[in-house]
């Protein structure tokens, strides 16, 4: 167990950052609460350089006056906005700060290296996530709906020819994605042929030619050559993914812990009544 | 403030992201497995196919690390973007009171691959400006950036149009170095996210590639490139700020990747040439004083930029009618997804400016066809074709939503700029409006779904683009392709044996009285049960050639029927009539002249279907119905399509 040091306490960080922001604001905007806008020579030089950088030209006296006027206007509006507390209510600023703080919290709790036993337990608990789906490898004879006026009847006729002993490889129309497909899951087959076709093919027996099956492109006679049943993964096959997912989950737990510690330092008062 | 560990990488040392270095940068948490320098096995995937499978994906994706996404409330991380590509849900603006997105998006069908390509220019600045306590956090620039919107974007974006861009001193320090560690940290997270999403099992379900966008807006014209790597041995990104010319980008990619001895390989994909005012493919060889020096530059460009993006959410870059410099009848299908400008002006031979802001002139060189023709002219003059360009399409999403290309699901492409229908259909603006569209997909014919196999297919240009649907199209050319291939069950094996695939140059032929023959064949998108894909209307071959220095084009219908009577009712989005589920043709060039440089590419055209705005307006009445729903200037239907990479002929 590593001993936690006082300076790595996230609560402390939160307070420090808050303090820092207030401090920096005070330094950067002296008199921000007051009604004085100082146009220093440095400032004017900066405005001039900025103008040159944007336009490639030195500002004329008139343009420079406009730049300064612009600065004064923006400065006033900015201070008024701060005085009204607009920065606090801005959800965008709020969201960014929250995101940052979450990052900081993440780096607080060092994660331990998982043992094989940890990973095996994790795998057992989430077996479904790592299981490989059932897959089939098929050979098919394609009858194109575009090249045959009655493709279903044509497919039936081809089925009779195959039954009579004609080699299937000589039959049918070419299919752009191939005649013999390797082990594919139902999802992959659906992306090639359409979902109704894929569902039907998954249920075919091995080694027999099917009756014509309809796809998005026509009719197919299908023979399943090989079937790999759905199976749970072994530790070594998915070690990489396991490690990542295990870490992600541990990370989440650690973050939750850090958050609950933070929560302990706050008093949360839930007001009753009304949902307005 | 020491909680986040940064490591500063000084100088020009390439920033190599092998597994072990990553672990160092990550503070020693011991990442393990990313295959570092391990040899790559070919054929590790169960669907390895020497005749190549087709894979669909998106190679142009921005996340919250892009300055012009973050300022519009986009908080999607690369990790979330890859998860979305694999089928998970994503929350997008408008933000609710809890700061979370209120729109939910999910892909109907996961992608096979994707690459997150954030703008490399300001990844450090974005991080610095959102990290309280950083050197620049309280600077005026950072405050303006955090305030968001177009102003926030301009703070940084303005540098990309400057000739001598500089990092903002108030954010990054006088010498710009204060942003570098932040950039390193963001780049590390980008690589980590890709490595985590990449399926290295034998199932090869998903490939995450590593890349970034190089964002040059010289002359206020789009000269953008996506830089894409073959593996995770990658240098620190090159940006416009350090290398403000494309020539500088190419030199640095050579120095930090190709010639760095770190097993790195890279290519760059030009895109949005439609907004480049003739600049993207303007023929020039800066600094060259002899033909030989011009050849060296032309070869470098040809080798580093083998592919362009022909379509994405900012419109089509294939072709446009009415521009000077190309002889031939107008192509009726070139009106597809154009972004209108206030004034139509032809650049002629002199490049213009203003395309980034939606202005300036149009040039034939803004489009694939003009660039291919200029390439032929250069090949005739130099013996080298600098624009031997294959094609892909992608989205350019700034929501971190790769592959979200379905017209029915379009909820905008860039955070708060177009997160309501009113904004999407309001008056056209630079960053939103009715001329934007969901963008397209990249199709890749590769042996297997791995980084190396996909990259190699891009390099040999065996790739195509679609305007969204997953249309599969193959295109082969040769001197002895059999005429009855379309009926031959061994079609692809024979075409591959007797010819060359899309992206290739026809081999030299001795006999001068033979014309080349092409096989083009396409399958419609099967779609899903709820949304079946549209039928195909026709296949076309587009030929471009040079006679006496003059550029010519001609479009041939080679299969299907342009008058098949199919249409769509834009009031209900019901498709009427049918087309073909698949089409095929073996075509011989009837006017072949062996003395002329030529290219041929194929285009697959679907029957008409509803454009996104017609879907979005369905059922809206009265107050709910934006005026844009009934604007006659906004197209309500579209003919989705696919474009293949060309096949070239060079006289012997």
């Amino acid at each position: 167990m590593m001993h936690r040091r006082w300076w790595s306490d996230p609560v402390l960080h939160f307070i420090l950052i808050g303090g820092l922001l207030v401090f920096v604001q005070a330094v950067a905007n002296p008199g921000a609460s007051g009604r004085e806008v100082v146009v220093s020579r440095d400032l004017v030089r900066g405005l001039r350089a900025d103008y040159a950088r944007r336009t490639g030209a030195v500002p004329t006296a008139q343009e420079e006056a406009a730049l300064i006027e612009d600065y004064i206007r923006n400065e006033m509006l900015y201070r008024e906005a701060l005085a009204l507390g607009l920065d606090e209510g801005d959800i965008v600023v709020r969201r960014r700060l929250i995101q940052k703080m979450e990052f900081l919290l993440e780096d607080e709790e060092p994660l331990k290296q998982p043992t094989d036993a940890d990973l095996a337990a994790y795998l057992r608990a989430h077996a479904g996530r790592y299981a490989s789906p059932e897959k089939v490898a098929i050979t098919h004879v394609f009858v194109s709906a575009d090249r045959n006026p009655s493709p279903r009847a044509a497919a039936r006729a081809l089925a009779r020819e195959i039954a009579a002993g004609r080699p299937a490889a000589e039959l049918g129309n070419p299919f752009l994605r191939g005649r013999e497909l390797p082990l594919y899951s139902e999802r992959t087959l659906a992306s090639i042929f359409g979902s109704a076709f894929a569902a039907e093919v998954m249920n075919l027996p091995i080694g027999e030619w099917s009756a014509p099956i309809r796809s998005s492109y026509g009719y197919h006679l299908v023979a399943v050559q090989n079937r790999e049943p759905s199976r749970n993964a072994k530790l070594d096959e998915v070690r990489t993914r396991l490690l990542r997912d295990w870490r992600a989950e541990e990370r989440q737990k650690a973050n939750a812990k850090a958050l609950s510690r933070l929560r302990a330092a706050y008093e949360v008062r839930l007001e009753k009544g009304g949902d307005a | 403030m020491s909680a986040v560990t940064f490591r500063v990488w000084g100088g020009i040392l390439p920033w190599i992201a092998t597994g072990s270095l990553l672990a160092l940068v990550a503070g020693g948490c011991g990442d393990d497995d990313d295959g570092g320098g391990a040899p790559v096995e070919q054929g590790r995937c169960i669907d390895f196919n020497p005749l190549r499978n087709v894979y669909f994906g998106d190679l142009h994706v921005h996340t919250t690390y892009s300055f012009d996404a973050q300022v519009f409330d986009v908080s999607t991380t690369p990790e979330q973007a890859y998860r979305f590509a694999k089928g998970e849900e994503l929350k997008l603006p408008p933000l609710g009171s809890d700061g979370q997105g209120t729109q939910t998006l999910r892909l109907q069908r996961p992608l096979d691959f994707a690459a997150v390509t954030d703008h490399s220019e300001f990844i450090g600045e974005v991080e610095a400006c959102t990290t309280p306590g950083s050197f620049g956090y309280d600077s005026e620039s950072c405050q303006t950036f955090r305030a968001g919107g177009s102003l926030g974007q301009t703070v940084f974006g303005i540098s990309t149009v400057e000739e001598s861009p500089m990092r903002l001193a108030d954010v990054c320090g006088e010498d710009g170095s204060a942003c570098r560690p932040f950039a390193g940290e963001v780049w590390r997270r980008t690589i980590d996210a890709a490595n985590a999403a990449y399926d290295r099992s034998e199932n090869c379900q998903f490939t995450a590639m590593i890349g970034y966008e190089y964002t040059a807006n010289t002359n206020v014209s789009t000269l953008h490139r996506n830089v894409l790597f073959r593996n995770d041995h990658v240098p620190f990104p090159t940006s416009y700020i350090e290398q403000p010319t494309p020539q500088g980008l190419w030199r640095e990619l050579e120095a930090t990747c190709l010639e760095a001895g770190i097993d790195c390989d890279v290519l760059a994909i030009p895109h949005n040439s439609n907004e480049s005012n003739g600049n993207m493919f303007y023929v020039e060889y800066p600094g060259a004083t002899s033909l030989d020096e011009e050849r060296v530059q032309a070869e470098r460009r040809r080798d580093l930029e083998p592919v362009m993006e022909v379509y994405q959410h900012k419109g089509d870059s294939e072709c446009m009618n009415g521009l000077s410099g190309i002889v031939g009848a107008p192509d009726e299908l070139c009106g597809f997804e154009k972004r209108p400008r206030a004034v139509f002006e032809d650049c002629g031979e002199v490049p213009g400016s203003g395309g980034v802001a939606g202005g300036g002139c149009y040039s034939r060189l803004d489009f694939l066809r003009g660039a291919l023709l200029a390439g032929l002219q250069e090949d005739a003059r130099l013996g080298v074709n600098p624009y031997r360009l294959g094609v892909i399409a992608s989205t350019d999403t700034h929501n971190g939503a790769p592959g979200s290309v379905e017209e029915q699901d379009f909820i905008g492409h860039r955070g708060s700029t177009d997160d309501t229908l009113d904004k999407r259909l309001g008056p056209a603006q630079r960053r939103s409006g009715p001329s934007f569209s969901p963008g397209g997909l990249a199709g890749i014919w590769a042996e297997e779904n791995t980084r190396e196999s996909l990259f190699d297919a891009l390099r040999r240009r065996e790739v195509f683009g679609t305007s969204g649907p997953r249309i599969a199209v193959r295109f082969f050319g040769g001197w002895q392709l059999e005429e009855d291939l379309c009926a031959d069950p061994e079609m692809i094996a024979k075409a591959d044996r007797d010819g060359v695939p899309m992206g290739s140059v026809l081999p030299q032929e001795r006999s001068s009285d033979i014309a080349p023959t092409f096989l083009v064949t396409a399958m419609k998108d099967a779609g899903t049960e709820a949304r079946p894909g549209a039928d195909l209307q026709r296949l076309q071959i587009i030929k471009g050639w040079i006679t006496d220095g003059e550029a010519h084009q001609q479009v041939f219908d080679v299969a299907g029927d342009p008058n098949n009577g199919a249409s769509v009712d834009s009031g209900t989005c019901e498709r009427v009539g049918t087309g073909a589920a698949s089409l095929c043709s073996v075509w011989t060039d009837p006017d072949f002249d062996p003395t002329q440089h030529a290219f041929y590419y194929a285009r697959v055209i679907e029957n008409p279907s509803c454009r996104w705005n017609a879907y979005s307006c369905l059922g809206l009445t009265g107050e709910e119905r934006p005026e844009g729903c009934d604007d006659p200037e906004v197209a309500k239907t579209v003919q989705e399509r696919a474009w293949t990479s060309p096949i070239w002929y060079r006289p012997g």
Side-chain angles (χ1 to χ4, degrees):
Chain A
M1 265 316 271
M2 203 190 276
H3 186 68
R4 289 187 48 79
R5 302 192 172 105
W6 64 267
W7 63 80
S8 62
D9 190 325
V11 179
L12 179 74
H13 284 186
F14 199 72
I15 295 163
L16 279 182
I17 291 168
L20 188 71
L21 287 179
V22 172
F23 171 74
V24 169
Q25 223 160 54
V27 172
N29 303 294
S33 50
R35 300 257 166 188
E36 186 191 8
V37 177
V38 180
V39 181
S40 68
R41 251 183 297 179
D42 275 352
L43 178 83
V44 175
R45 223 174 288 138
L47 290 174
R48 233 181 260 145
D50 186 56
Y51 182 90
R53 199 176 46 71
R54 275 185 290 125
T55 64
V58 179
T60 63
Q62 226 171 9
E63 283 162 340
E64 189 170 304
L67 287 175
I68 293 170
E69 204 43 53
D70 220 33
Y71 169 82
I72 296 169
R73 174 183 169 280
N74 286 344
E75 188 62 22
M76 290 188 310
L77 288 176
Y78 179 59
R79 285 190 205 170
E80 292 299 314
L82 284 183
L84 286 174
L86 290 186
D87 55 332
E88 289 155 26
D90 187 322
I91 53 167
V92 176
V93 172
R94 186 180 146 88
R95 182 167 57 87
R96 288 202 177 111
L97 286 175
I98 290 169
Q99 229 172 25
K100 276 293 125 177
M101 196 58 215
E102 283 170 349
F103 267 131
L104 293 182
L105 283 179
E106 261 188 21
D107 290 300
E108 275 319 303
E109 195 100 347
L111 290 186
K112 63 164 188 165
Q113 278 293 334
T115 63
D116 272 16
D118 288 333
L119 293 180
Y122 189 84
L123 176 57
R124 272 196 305 279
H126 304 94
R129 198 191 294 168
Y130 301 95
S132 67
E134 182 184 3
K135 290 177 191 147
V136 295
I138 63 167
T139 302
H140 68 118
V141 173
F142 172 51
V143 179
S144 162
D146 300 306
R147 306 179 75 83
N148 298 278
S150 45
R152 187 156 188 207
R156 283 212 196 96
L158 291 186
R160 283 193 293 276
E161 289 198 46
I162 292 176
R166 220 168 133 200
E170 295 173 3
L171 302 175
N173 300 121
F175 190 71
L176 184 51
R177 315 262 310 242
R179 288 172 68 77
E180 290 175 21
L181 303 180
L183 284 166
Y184 278 144
S185 66
E186 181 172 349
R187 189 182 108 181
T188 309
L189 285 174
S191 75
I192 301 175
F193 296 95
S195 38
F197 176 95
E200 206 168 333
V201 163
M202 293 310 287
N203 291 320
L204 293 176
I206 291 186
E208 288 172 34
W209 285 100
S210 71
I213 301 176
R214 194 175 175 179
S215 78
S216 307
Y217 308 99
Y219 285 85
H220 307 249
L221 307 173
V222 181
V224 171
Q225 304 295 345
N226 191 7
R227 165 174 273 119
E228 194 183 273
S230 161
R231 65 175 183 87
N232 286 340
K234 297 195 190 77
L235 177 58
D236 277 336
E237 294 168 334
V238 289
R239 182 178 289 276
T240 307
R241 272 176 72 202
L242 275 175
L243 263 172
R244 284 201 181 101
D245 295 351
W246 184 89
R247 278 207 196 108
E249 196 176 298
E250 289 297 307
R251 170 62 64 215
Q252 253 176 9
K253 283 191 212 155
N255 289 357
K257 237 163 67 186
L259 266 179
S260 68
R261 263 205 313 277
L262 196 58
R263 177 74 180 256
Y266 280 78
E267 187 190 339
V268 178
R269 194 158 40 85
L270 290 175
E271 291 186 346
K272 296 216 176 93
D275 50 15
Chain B
M1 282 312 300
S2 64
V4 184
T5 312
F6 296 116
R7 187 162 283 260
V8 183
W9 300 89
I12 52 156
L13 271 182
W15 193 92
I16 311 159
T18 63
S20 58
L21 269 178
L22 268 181
L24 270 180
V25 178
C29 73
D31 216 334
D32 33 76
D33 49 89
D34 294 323
V40 178
E41 329 145 44
Q42 273 278 315
R44 72 167 164 84
C45 303
I46 48 170
D47 68 341
F48 180 89
N49 175 2
L51 290 174
R52 284 89 70 201
N53 300 312
V54 67
Y55 300 105
F56 290 102
D58 189 345
L59 295 176
H60 195 165
V61 177
H62 294 275
T63 73
T64 189
Y65 297 148
S66 285
F67 70 107
D68 57 348
Q70 174 145 155
V71 287
F72 297 114
D73 292 350
V74 173
S75 60
T76 315
T77 61
E79 196 168 33
Q80 290 169 323
Y82 285 126
R83 288 194 170 173
F84 177 81
K86 293 161 95 167
E88 288 186 28
E89 195 177 272
L90 190 62
K91 296 269 187 211
L92 291 168
L95 304 180
S97 56
D98 60 353
Q100 299 295 314
T102 55
Q103 296 197 90
T104 304
L105 197 59
R106 181 184 220 130
L107 287 182
Q108 295 276 312
R109 292 174 283 177
L111 298 178
D112 297 315
F113 61 89
V116 164
T117 52
D118 281 310
H119 294 290
S120 65
E121 280 67 28
F122 309 112
I123 50 175
E125 282 82 337
V126 168
E127 187 65 10
C129 285
T130 50
T131 301
S134 76
F135 171 84
Y137 185 83
D138 295 298
S139 65
E140 198 174 330
S141 298
C142 277
Q143 289 181 23
T144 312
F145 176 75
R146 283 197 297 276
S150 294
L151 267 181
Q153 172 180 267
T154 310
V155 178
F156 295 131
I158 192 82
S159 324
T160 62
V161 304
E162 290 169 351
E163 262 178 57
S164 310
M166 300 259 290
R167 299 216 170 264
L168 294 177
D170 65 342
V171 182
C172 300
E174 285 299 331
D175 62 353
S177 65
C179 287
R180 179 71 177 213
F182 290 99
E185 164 69 11
V186 171
W187 184 230
R188 179 189 68 80
R189 281 189 223 143
T190 304
I191 296 165
D192 280 358
N195 280 339
Y198 185 22
D199 179 2
R200 291 169 201 267
S201 77
E202 59 171 19
N203 293 319
C204 300
Q205 285 279 354
F206 184 79
T207 296
M209 301 187 82
I210 297 170
Y212 60 85
E213 175 166 354
Y214 166 86
T215 320
N217 290 319
T218 321
N219 291 327
V220 202
S221 294
T222 307
L223 296 178
H224 301 188
R225 268 94 175 160
N226 281 333
V227 174
L228 205 63
F229 294 97
R230 187 168 188 267
N231 52 36
D232 61 0
H233 305 184
V234 300
F236 186 84
T238 298
S239 96
Y240 178 76
I241 311 297
E242 283 75 29
Q243 293 294 344
T245 65
Q247 289 77 20
L249 167 70
W250 301 326
R251 276 194 304 271
E252 191 161 297
L253 290 178
E254 283 179 342
T256 61
C257 176
L258 298 176
E259 294 162 3
I262 55 170
D263 186 25
C264 178
D265 203 350
V266 66
L267 51 83
I269 303 176
H271 54 264
N272 268 142
S273 54
N274 59 335
E275 297 186 347
S276 80
N277 312 107
N279 286 289
M280 179 73 88
F281 297 111
Y282 184 63
V283 178
E284 60 177 345
Y285 304 96
T289 56
S290 67
L291 281 183
D292 273 341
E293 286 177 19
E294 293 189 3
R295 280 187 195 105
V296 170
Q297 290 195 27
E299 280 170 359
R300 172 188 285 148
R301 181 165 189 154
R302 179 196 64 196
D303 295 345
L304 269 168
E305 301 197 336
V307 171
M308 75 171 272
E309 195 180 274
V310 75
Y311 170 66
Q312 54 133 283
H313 74 64
K314 278 184 267 184
D316 166 89
S317 295
E318 184 205 355
C319 53
M320 182 183 229
N321 288 319
L323 295 172
S324 62
I326 302 180
V327 183
D331 175 349
E332 51 173 324
L333 290 167
C334 284
F336 177 73
E337 293 296 340
K338 289 291 166 303
R339 304 215 38 225
R341 293 178 193 160
V343 184
F344 179 95
E345 188 197 343
D346 187 338
C347 304
E349 302 308 311
V350 186
S353 65
V356 175
C361 57
Y362 295 103
S363 162
R364 65 179 184 279
L365 294 173
D366 293 344
F367 299 92
L368 169 70
R369 214 171 284 170
L372 290 175
L373 285 164
L376 298 185
Q377 283 164 326
E378 284 304 277
D379 202 355
R381 187 177 73 86
L382 290 175
V384 181
N385 182 347
Y387 307 132
R388 186 166 292 153
L389 294 164
V391 297
I392 59 157
S394 279
T395 64
D396 195 7
T397 171
H398 281 60
N399 281 334
S404 181
V405 292
E406 302 236 2
E407 305 284 330
Q408 291 98 316
D409 295 337
F410 188 51
I411 57 165
H413 72 282
R414 189 195 302 260
S416 58
T417 63
D418 57 358
D419 53 4
T420 66
L421 187 56
D422 272 330
K423 290 185 197 171
R424 290 193 285 284
L425 281 177
Q429 288 169 18
R430 232 176 96 197
R431 325 220 141 263
S432 63
S435 65
F436 281 83
S437 56
L441 294 179
I444 299 187
W445 290 101
E447 289 85 356
E448 55 184 350
N449 189 11
T450 63
R451 282 177 178 163
E452 292 78 13
S453 195
L454 296 179
F455 183 94
D456 293 349
L458 284 161
R459 160 97 6 106
R460 69 173 182 270
R461 309 174 192 86
E462 199 172 348
V463 296
F464 60 97
T466 91
S467 60
R470 298 187 188 188
I471 300 167
V473 53
R474 296 205 88 153
F475 185 46
F476 288 88
W479 304 103
Q480 281 131 6
L481 292 186
E482 294 171 16
E483 276 180 29
D484 57 353
L485 275 180
C486 284
D488 193 327
E490 297 300 312
M491 169 174 76
I492 297 302
K494 288 186 177 172
D496 202 48
R497 181 193 69 196
D498 298 336
V500 293
M502 59 173 85
S504 313
V505 180
L506 285 166
Q508 297 288 339
E509 174 66 14
R510 300 213 167 269
S511 164
S512 63
D513 53 351
I514 303 183
T517 294
F518 298 87
L519 168 73
V520 52
T521 172
M523 276 168 47
K524 72 175 231 185
D525 181 355
T528 60
E529 209 159 0
R531 293 178 187 169
D535 282 347
L536 304 180
Q537 186 196 63
R538 58 178 143 162
L539 293 183
Q540 301 179 305
I541 288 181
I542 290 108
K543 178 188 179 186
W545 71 97
I546 306 295
T547 314
D548 300 327
E550 205 173 61
H552 293 257
Q553 68 168 19
Q554 191 172 352
V555 181
F556 300 88
D557 284 339
V558 299
D561 179 8
N563 303 309
N564 66 11
S567 63
V568 63
D569 180 338
S570 65
T572 62
C573 290
E574 302 259 340
R575 295 195 293 250
V576 186
T578 56
S582 58
L583 288 169
C584 183
S585 173
V586 174
W587 178 83
T588 303
D589 181 359
D591 312 311
F592 180 67
D593 180 338
T595 64
Q596 294 165 350
H597 284 263
F599 67 78
Y600 305 82
Y601 69 89
R603 194 165 61 185
V604 190
I605 306 294
E606 271 189 3
N607 281 339
S609 52
C610 267
R611 198 171 180 266
W612 62 267
N613 43 303
Y615 280 113
S616 300
C617 293
L618 281 182
L620 295 184
T621 52
E623 287 281 291
E624 274 187 343
R625 190 175 176 87
E627 275 178 39
C629 285
D630 306 299
D631 183 346
E633 298 288 305
V634 181
K636 292 174 189 60
T637 64
V638 65
Q639 276 189 285
E640 305 278 9
R641 59 195 63 200
W643 308 262
T644 73
S645 291
I647 292 173
W648 286 267
Y649 168 75
R650 306 180 73 208

